[in-house]
Structure formats: structure tokens, C-alpha cells
Amino acid sequence: MIDPAHPPTGASTRRGPLREGERVQLTDPRGRMHTITLTAGAEFHTHRGKFLHDELIGRPDGTTVVNTAMVEYLVVRPLLTDFVLSMPRGAAVVYPKDAGQIVQMADVFPGATVIEAGVGSGALTMSLLRAVGDQGRVHSFERRQDFADVARGNVETFFGGPHPAWTVRVGDLVETLPTTDVLADRAVLDMLAPWECLDAVADHLAPGGVLICYVATATQLSRVAEAMRASGRWTEPEAWESMVRGWHLEGLAVRPQHRMIGHTGFLVTSRRLADGFAPPLRKRRPAPGAHPVEGEAAEVEVVEGTEYGDRPVSDRKVRRAAREAARGAEASAGTDEPLGD
């Protein structure tokens, strides 16, 4: 039974009347969306009129409001997917379609202990925290302090304050994880070179535990899969990608939309073998040319910081995202209150 006086973290911000400090999503008749933070006395302006935030504070979720130009807006609380796509970001976010598959395919269950690296802007972190609940643990590792600050602000904004299941550490996973006593059920790696962390993760992942890696390029996918096989501590890796295509629905005009969410990243998963056990021998032989011949690898000149397809993020953009995330967390604090009768 859930104690009404102590609901799960963030639950009270997902129901009841709209409160000051909450983010709400406005949709106009043309389907254009705006996300605002409700502030007493503030106004929402467009080139087609305005209305006061006070008109929304205290109203139920799913209401409508008409501005001074008689334009009607639908007003709802953003879903997690909406929040992720509109929140301040330093690093690129894990898209909802991939976050959902990570939670499902890694079998992240309530009460689980999860290792996450890196935290980026906190998009995947929020899905993991939702899945493990207040009784679980998510241990996030991030190499950059500014990215960690952005993620912390976004997580606290969405949940209405700090989440009791979350710990974020700044530092390299290979160096920082061995200094902890974490024994995890699941591990999720969203980083440039996950193959460098396989042994460190294996040392802190329970036998049978699931490892899932999110990588952007086919080169990364191949390298992490081969590293898993060479390690001898993991089951045969499986990999896939997903694409989402929306549909246009208007009367009898039912057809695929012209735009779709295509490639965002590859997911590769494996499970930790118990110590002293080796993976079964593969009966299927690789095709000739599946592996490079020693000494014949071509040298490729790369720009520093882009070795694995990473797009450098400007410090100015990250600082701006950190400020916006911090303001969101500050505004959201105090909205996570128990519901009345």
C-alpha cells in the first residue's frame, strides 16, 4: 500500500490542480507547442495575444485557456517524453524511443540497483529512476561537472526536488567505480568508448546482470561487440536500432507522416557470466574479412574530441543549459507536496 502522506517521489507533481512553479505545455490550434513555467503575475505572449499565468494556476490538468486575441490553447502537464525533448540540454539526450527500450530490454525493475555512465543531460536518468522507484538505486557517473549540473537541475525540476534513489559522481567510470562498493543488477553505458569500461563494470555487476550500451555509430557498435566477445565475461552480444514513423490522421487522409525519427543510436546488450564460466563456443563461423588483418588497418586522421562521432558541445551552451536547469529546479522545489483529501 502507498502511504498517501508520503507518495513516491514526483507522484504528487503529476496529478491535482496546476501549481505555481510547475511546467505546463500549451498547444495552439495549429499544433504548435510551448512549454512555460507557471509564475504568479507573469504573462504568456505571442504575436497573437497574451494571457496571465494566474488564469491557469489552480485549474485542473487538461484545461483550455483563451488569450486576448481569442486563440485557444490546450493546457496539460508535459509527459516525461515532452519534458525530455524541451528541457535544457548540454549533451545530446537519449530519445524516448531508446530510453523506453533500454528500460524494457535491460529489465530494469523496481528496487534494482543500476550503474549509469554518462549522465549527459539526465534524460535517461529520469526513466531509470522512474523504473527503480524510491527503493532502488541509480548510480550515475559523469566525466564533466557542467554536464552533471545540467542533469541535476533537470532531474530535480521533473521530480520536484532531489530523488532519494539517485547518486551522481563526477569522474571517469574506470577510475571512480572501483572506489565504490556498488554491486549492481543492471548497467547502462552511454559513452564514446564503452569497450574501455567492460572489465570495470563486470567487477561491479552481479552474475546474470544485464549490460546495455548505447552508441551512435556502426564503428562503435562493432568495437564494443568484439570487446565483449574477447573479454570472456559476457554472453554473446545482441544489437538493434529502432525507428519511429508517425501517421497523419485526418478523416480518410490516413498516411505516414513525411517526417520520422530515424537513426538515433544503436543498442547492444549482453549479460554478465558467473566467475569461472566461459561463454559457449560459437558454432557459426564468421565470414572471411569479418576481422581486419593485422598490420593492414588504415590510419584515419581525426579531429580531437570527435574520434567516435561525438559532436563537440560549446562551453557557452552548457553553461546556459545549466543556468536554465537550475532555475527550473528552483521553481519546481516546493511543488512536491502531499495531496489533500
Side-chain angles (χ1 to χ4, degrees), residues 106-146:
D107 188 32
V108 181
F109 55 89
T113 298
V114 180
I115 294 170
E116 179 201 20
V119 68
S121 298
L124 178 59
T125 306
M126 288 182 275
S127 291
L128 295 174
L129 289 170
R130 274 274 190 87
V132 304
D134 291 1
Q135 304 305 313
R137 296 298 302 172
V138 174
H139 298 273
S140 298
F141 297 82
E142 173 55 55
R143 297 179 66 177
R144 294 182 53 166
Q145 179 68 59
D146 49 0

Side-chain angles (χ1 to χ4, degrees), residues 146-160:
D146 49 0
F147 282 8
D149 292 340
V150 172
R152 184 177 291 107
N154 287 331
V155 169
E156 293 184 5
T157 298
F158 183 75
F159 287 105

Side-chain angles (χ1 to χ4, degrees), residues 253-274:
V254 180
R255 55 170 175 75
Q257 292 180 353
H258 297 304
R259 295 184 179 182
M260 66 176 291
I261 301 176
H263 174 76
T264 51
F266 298 103
L267 292 170
V268 55
T269 185
S270 183
R271 300 188 69 174
R272 165 78 153 85
L273 291 167

Side-chain angles (χ1 to χ4, degrees), residues 134-193:
D134 291 1
Q135 304 305 313
R137 296 298 302 172
V138 174
H139 298 273
S140 298
F141 297 82
E142 173 55 55
R143 297 179 66 177
R144 294 182 53 166
Q145 179 68 59
D146 49 0
F147 282 8
D149 292 340
V150 172
R152 184 177 291 107
N154 287 331
V155 169
E156 293 184 5
T157 298
F158 183 75
F159 287 105
H163 198 291
W166 190 40
T167 302
V168 58
R169 296 176 175 88
V170 176
D172 185 88
L173 179 69
V174 175
E175 299 174 356
T176 308
L177 183 57
T179 66
T180 71
D181 58 355
V182 174
L183 180 60
D185 304 293
R186 306 289 185 259
V188 183
L189 303 183
D190 174 16
M191 55 191 358
L192 295 180

Side-chain angles (χ1 to χ4, degrees), residues 199-287:
D199 285 338
V201 171
D203 290 338
H204 289 262
L205 190 63
V210 179
L211 167 65
I212 190 163
C213 302
Y214 179 78
V215 294
T217 69
T219 303
Q220 291 171 291
L221 176 63
S222 174
R223 189 160 180 181
V224 69
E226 292 305 315
M228 287 175 173
R229 293 182 178 121
S231 171
R233 306 178 73 179
W234 304 96
T235 61
E236 178 66 13
E238 298 181 6
W240 71 95
E241 67 171 330
S242 65
M243 301 180 187
V244 176
R245 183 176 69 176
W247 279 67
H248 174 84
L249 301 173
E250 187 173 347
L252 296 179
V254 180
R255 55 170 175 75
Q257 292 180 353
H258 297 304
R259 295 184 179 182
M260 66 176 291
I261 301 176
H263 174 76
T264 51
F266 298 103
L267 292 170
V268 55
T269 185
S270 183
R271 300 188 69 174
R272 165 78 153 85
L273 291 167
D275 293 333
F277 291 85
L281 293 176
R282 299 176 64 198
K283 293 185 177 180
R284 185 179 59 202
R285 295 182 179 181

Side-chain angles (χ1 to χ4, degrees), residues 275-312:
D275 293 333
F277 291 85
L281 293 176
R282 299 176 64 198
K283 293 185 177 180
R284 185 179 59 202
R285 295 182 179 181
H291 302 278
V293 178
E294 186 174 354
E296 293 187 2
E299 294 186 3
V300 180
E301 183 178 358
V302 295
V303 178
E304 182 179 358
T306 64
E307 293 90 337
Y308 308 111
D310 182 46
R311 179 178 296 178

Side-chain angles (χ1 to χ4, degrees), residues 15-20 22 24 38 51-67 72-77:
R15 56 167 73 105
L18 302 176
R19 306 172 181 86
E20 182 179 3
E22 279 194 289
V24 296
L38 294 179
F51 65 82
L52 292 173
H53 289 203
D54 291 338
E55 296 180 51
L56 300 181
I57 297 174
R59 280 197 185 185
D61 195 357
T63 189
T64 61
V65 64
V66 179
N67 71 6
E72 187 176 30
Y73 291 87
L74 170 67
V75 183
V76 294
R77 285 189 175 94

